[in-house]
Amino acid sequence: MDKNAASTAGTSKDSANVKLSVWEKTAYSFTDMAGNLLYVTISSYILYFYTDVFGISVGGAGLILLVARFFDAVSAPVWGSIVDHTHTKWGQSRPYFLWLAIPFAVATFLAFTAPNLHGTAKLWYAGFTYILAAGVVYTGIQTPITAILPSLTTNGQERINANTFRMCGGSIGSFITSTFALPLVAFFGKGDDKVGFMWTMFFFGLLAVVLLFLSFKGMKERTIAVQKPIPFKDSLKATVGNNPWYILVVSFVIYWVAQSTRNGISVYYAKYNLGNEQLTSVFNGLQVLGIIATICIPFVVKVTNKTMTMIIGLAIGAAGQIMMGMVGNNFTLVIIAWIIGIFGASTAVAMPFGMLADTVDYGEWKTGIRAPGFLTAVGSAFCIQLGSGFGSFIPSKIMAAAGFVANKTQTAHALSAIHFTFIYFPVIVYAIVAVIMCLYFKYEKMEPQIKADLAARHDADANN
């Protein structure tokens, strides 16, 4: 065993096969419900807010979203290391749901506030508030959401079950913002979208704070009592030879390019291609049906495995997108195709969050170092942010090159660009991710032996 093993996380015997209560899993679901309530609002509407409300050019808005990703490249590993160094009476990850709830709400509120600025001042304000909300503070929330899972239980099936609750909560959060964001903007703004977005984000932020406080109260970290803080350099060592982690990171970054594109371009597709901006609420509101697919995940995993479940989700998602492109403007068939795509996307997006817990085990098995904060921060928050950034930047460049101009009648070329980015671009991304995930089969087969070896190692440490 590595010389650093003395400073790594052990697992208390009574936590090895713990069954989580329904309330604890529900409390875990509140974390992602709150996170998605605010972050999905950002990923779905911030590009539209910048171009059609705040008055920033589509090229300038896309540049802001891309530049922000370089800050994420720093903030994700930093937050991961911070979590790995945290040691409180409440645990390692759990305190951040209490500490960052209000800052998260305030930062998102500021990102959707449009002060009377001009020129570069407007760009600087948008860039700073976006980086603060979608980068720095969101990473501080997202990191412990994923990092806490290995500490709740070491039971593999319970991890999948808990992650299923989490993803259902995330779907509900997405449903709330996707269905009610624009209607609330219209209600509060009464024709003034600047005012409407501001009050809508105040309401969503208040709800997110309540959910995060409840999640803090409802969960317990069980392995934290025997885990000691580790230096940042040791967190980095946990990635050495951690091939399944590399595969998930690359796959998840690329996947979120498609996820962000579908969310962000839907408002343009509804407004300009279908001629009804409010249809965005229909498209995004239907995302809640993804809960059906999420609930089915534990059963599909039992029949197949985690890797195949993700690939199946990607295939279904691609089929829905292709069907949507083939049915023209037949609204009923478009909705059916969109729902099929939702089932696939909801399955595919859920799997890496649960599988990251297994790469934490692999890292400890390989190096003797357990770094759940660092590995999950890069594997979740960093991937989401980097992928989302490119998922906004690439479509913005395609639309700009095609001559898109906000709040104007679009040319046929611009409409074709919107159609391509919304319908077919995600299909290309799904195919790439599926090919990469085929490399993960090998490592999933090793998991039973890895868990057995770690259990024996922890028992030996406890007896010494």
Side-chain angles (χ1 to χ4, degrees), residues 63-195:
L63 183 61
I64 289 172
L65 303 185
L66 181 63
V67 170
R69 302 289 73 87
F70 292 99
F71 288 89
D72 297 336
V74 176
S75 65
V78 168
W79 270 114
S81 182
I82 290 172
V83 170
D84 283 335
H85 277 80
T86 302
H87 189 71
T88 75
K89 63 181 181 180
W90 297 316
Q92 187 177 60
S93 300
R94 182 170 155 244
Y96 290 96
F97 305 139
L98 177 66
W99 295 339
L100 292 180
I102 293 176
F104 187 32
V106 171
T108 308
F109 173 82
L110 292 175
F112 281 95
T113 300
N116 187 24
L117 300 173
H118 304 281
T120 56
K122 183 182 292 188
L123 291 175
W124 279 106
Y125 176 85
F128 174 77
T129 55
Y130 178 78
I131 290 169
L132 182 66
V136 177
V137 185
Y138 173 70
T139 306
I141 288 288
Q142 179 64 35
T143 297
I145 290 176
T146 307
I148 199 173
L149 182 57
S151 299
L152 295 178
T153 178
T154 59
N155 184 301
Q157 189 59 43
E158 279 298 288
R159 285 178 176 177
I160 292 294
N161 293 340
N163 192 61
T164 297
F165 269 75
R166 170 194 172 175
M167 300 311 296
C168 286
S171 294
I172 293 172
S174 298
F175 170 75
I176 293 172
T177 183
S178 299
T179 303
F180 299 110
L182 291 183
L184 285 174
V185 168
F187 173 77
F188 288 126
K190 294 180 173 56
D192 187 342
D193 283 354
K194 290 183 180 181
V195 174

Side-chain angles (χ1 to χ4, degrees), residues 49-61:
F49 176 79
Y50 285 160
T51 59
D52 288 38
V53 179
F54 203 9
I56 299 174
S57 69
V58 67

